[in-house]
Amino acid sequence: MVTEDEFKDFMADVCTPVAVVTAMADGLPHGTTVGSLTSLSLRPPMVTIALDHRSGLLPKIRRAGRFGVNLLGAEQAATALAFATPAADRFAGVAWYPDEGLPRLRDAPGWLVCLPQRFVAGGDHVLLLGLVSRVGGTRGGAPLVYGRRTFGTHCALAPRQDFSITDQIAAFAR
């Protein structure tokens, strides 16, 4: 049997995008940081996110019938931390505005409006399958990613030098 620590250590090496998932309930904004945003389908456009089954955001999304995904940029680690803490008002000090009835973070470079299609229980989390009804944002900037228990960003590898077939044959002959 795999221990929880073995599994956590393995998953720490998996880099994930960082996003803040939001919903409105009772006229108030709600949101939480997730590292589980994944593309699910192109036709129709769908994403998945996973929320702890005890998440206070989960019933708010069920009631609202929609959720927003604020994809964070490389400079937004503090925002990710603010929405990952149990603070009473995670939106304090964060610039946001309503967009299609959902809280949208002003500085987040990516924005999705999603309609939940299914809620699938999986262990201690619930997987939300969301139909993407709108894409917005400025995209193209460096993304915020989480890996090895720290925030960072993605950068491209140096271009690979392609060798001709004669160079490769010569290399094997050495």
Side-chain angles (χ1 to χ4, degrees), residues 43-106:
R43 289 178 229 104
M46 294 182 74
V47 295
T48 64
I49 61 164
L51 293 175
D52 187 293
H53 68 92
R54 298 167 300 177
S55 169
L57 185 61
L58 195 52
K60 293 169 177 62
I61 291 173
R62 287 182 190 271
R63 275 193 316 219
R66 60 179 44 209
F67 61 94
V69 177
N70 296 271
L71 186 62
L72 300 183
E75 305 301 319
Q76 295 183 292
T79 301
L81 289 172
F83 281 89
T85 62
D89 183 5
R90 295 176 174 172
F91 285 84
V94 176
W96 68 278
Y97 59 96
D99 185 331
E100 294 195 29
L102 295 165
R104 180 173 175 177
L105 304 184
R106 184 165 304 283

Side-chain angles (χ1 to χ4, degrees), residues 16-163:
T16 64
V18 181
V20 172
V21 175
T22 59
M24 289 292 276
D26 304 319
L28 297 173
H30 301 274
T32 193
T33 299
V34 299
S36 59
L37 174 65
T38 304
S39 173
L40 174 65
S41 168
L42 184 59
R43 289 178 229 104
M46 294 182 74
V47 295
T48 64
I49 61 164
L51 293 175
D52 187 293
H53 68 92
R54 298 167 300 177
S55 169
L57 185 61
L58 195 52
K60 293 169 177 62
I61 291 173
R62 287 182 190 271
R63 275 193 316 219
R66 60 179 44 209
F67 61 94
V69 177
N70 296 271
L71 186 62
L72 300 183
E75 305 301 319
Q76 295 183 292
T79 301
L81 289 172
F83 281 89
T85 62
D89 183 5
R90 295 176 174 172
F91 285 84
V94 176
W96 68 278
Y97 59 96
D99 185 331
E100 294 195 29
L102 295 165
R104 180 173 175 177
L105 304 184
R106 184 165 304 283
D107 297 326
W111 170 247
L112 298 176
V113 175
C114 300
L115 307 172
Q117 300 297 291
R118 292 189 61 199
F119 296 82
V120 181
D124 58 6
H125 277 63
V126 174
L127 192 64
L128 280 71
L129 283 57
L131 176 66
V132 177
S133 65
R134 201 169 121 231
V135 175
T138 57
R139 296 181 311 278
L144 182 64
V145 297
Y146 190 75
R148 298 199 171 166
R149 297 183 174 99
T150 189
F151 292 109
T153 192
H154 168 75
C155 63
L157 295 173
R160 192 179 85 189
Q161 183 177 6
D162 289 327
F163 296 101

